[in-house]
Amino acid sequence: MIKLLSVRFAYQNALTPVFDDFNWQAKRGEAWAVLGPSGCGKSTLLYLLAGLRMPTKGQVLVDGSVLTRPRPQTGLILQDFGLLPWATVSQNAVLGFKVRTFYGPDGKHAPAAVKANLSVDPWLERLGLTAEKHKFPGQLSGGQRQRVAIARTLALNPDLLLMDEPFSSLDAPTREGLQQLTLELLQENNLTLVMVTHAIEEAVILGRKILLLGQPPNRQPEIIDNPGSGQPEYRDSPEYVRLVRDLRRRIGEG
Ligand code: ADP
């Protein structure tokens, strides 16, 4: 699904590249959490996968094709929800469809056939937002707003979901609820997930595999298998506690 081949990426005028000769792959259906201290390159990696930044050298392949621009089958969910304040929940959720049908899946103007089936109602229902349909973002809690952003993205039927610190501005119970929901949605829709987070607990809950980045330049990815992720009660298991403690020690938080 994702392949990074000898990727080098440096911001203009930066002395050190963020990635240098960096190789990494993720298979379809895998759930990855990208973890590391602030400034290590987590968001940069996500923007490279989204096609919003291009490698200075090497290639990023998604689904066998070299990425040269954002692809329509990739969903991107960011921390600040990206909702239009003057549009209702329903209108916000349908926005992705509108953009896609205007431009078409190939990024050009849409053929008429693509313009069918604009219903986001099943997604609003799945995400528990039916009663909020006609409200504006300002009338919603942070957790509800993030659910609208998720509904909008999933309505486009993505195969790859990229999330950048999606739940970090939410309180703990809301965050845990949305983590659980994300796990369910991944299974239901056979999605590949790459989620960037600086929160170790969140990485261990959601990442069946964890990609640990360090201070740039990142050359060798460090990969940690986390087979317990997604299992019921994992949060209370000794494996979970051990991995969180181990990662905390490695990242230098504790
Ligand atoms: P993280 O998401 O892990 O906090 P980033 O990917 O945002 O890290 O940043 C990686 C490095 O690149 C940091 O040193 C950061 O200062 C630098 N950086 C990020 N964005 C830019 C930019 N637009 N221009 C120059 N340097 C940047």
Side-chain angles (χ1 to χ4, degrees):
M1 180 90 213
I2 296 171
K3 250 188 201 168
L4 265 65
L5 299 175
S6 300
V7 164
R8 178 185 170 91
F9 179 84
Y11 286 101
Q12 250 181 347
N13 304 325
L15 293 176
T16 315
V18 183
F19 295 99
D20 194 16
D21 198 12
F22 186 81
N23 294 285
W24 171 59
Q25 347 192 345
K27 297 202 189 87
R28 182 176 288 271
E30 285 182 341
W32 283 81
V34 181
L35 188 65
S38 177
C40 69
K42 302 182 294 294
S43 299
T44 305
L45 178 64
L46 209 72
Y47 296 148
L48 285 166
L49 296 176
L52 295 169
R53 296 233 179 239
M54 293 299 142
T56 325
K57 273 193 206 159
Q59 289 180 325
V60 176
L61 286 97
V62 178
D63 221 14
S65 305
V66 177
L67 209 57
T68 52
R69 60 173 177 176
R71 62 195 275 283
Q73 306 90 324
T74 297
L76 181 61
I77 296 179
L78 304 171
Q79 187 182 343
D80 60 4
F81 321 133
L83 302 183
L84 304 174
W86 39 264
T88 64
V89 164
S90 237
Q91 290 163 341
N92 264 294
V94 90
L95 193 72
F97 264 144
K98 290 219 165 135
V99 174
R100 161 118 27 119
T101 52
F102 185 78
Y103 288 107
D106 61 355
K108 301 187 181 123
H109 282 299
V114 183
K115 300 201 176 186
N117 194 3
L118 278 182
S119 177
V120 290
D121 286 356
W123 283 109
L124 293 181
E125 192 179 336
R126 175 65 188 85
L127 289 156
L129 290 164
T130 304
E132 271 64 48
K133 229 170 119 168
H134 302 295
K135 289 190 183 160
F136 292 90
Q139 298 169 293
L140 303 177
S141 68
Q144 287 171 325
R145 277 186 231 174
Q146 192 56 299
R147 278 190 274 142
V148 178
I150 294 172
R152 178 169 67 190
T153 304
L154 292 184
L156 291 170
N157 196 23
D159 55 10
L160 171 62
L161 194 57
L162 306 176
M163 296 175 132
D164 195 358
E165 304 266 4
F167 311 134
S168 59
S169 60
L170 305 172
D171 58 64
T174 310
R175 197 162 57 225
E176 285 180 18
L178 282 177
Q179 288 166 352
Q180 184 54 38
L181 179 68
T182 305
L183 286 169
E184 291 166 16
L185 293 170
L186 289 181
Q187 283 190 347
E188 287 167 24
N189 300 286
N190 189 30
L191 287 166
T192 309
L193 172 74
V194 180
M195 186 202 55
V196 158
T197 181
H198 68 271
I200 293 171
E201 287 83 358
E202 184 155 276
V204 177
I205 285 296
L206 287 179
R208 182 67 63 94
K209 289 183 172 257
I210 298 172
L211 175 62
L212 192 58
L213 297 180
Q215 287 311 322
N218 282 284
R219 292 202 167 92
Q220 197 70 25
E222 190 168 350
I223 293 167
I224 296 149
D225 279 315
N226 179 29
S229 149
Q231 285 173 13
E233 319 296 331
Y234 184 46
R235 223 180 272 271
D236 302 321
S237 71
E239 292 79 20
Y240 169 83
V241 174
R242 208 175 301 129
L243 184 52
V244 168
R245 198 189 307 134
D246 178 44
L247 286 169
R248 191 160 284 147
R249 205 176 299 129
R250 286 209 225 179
I251 296 176
E253 270 188 17

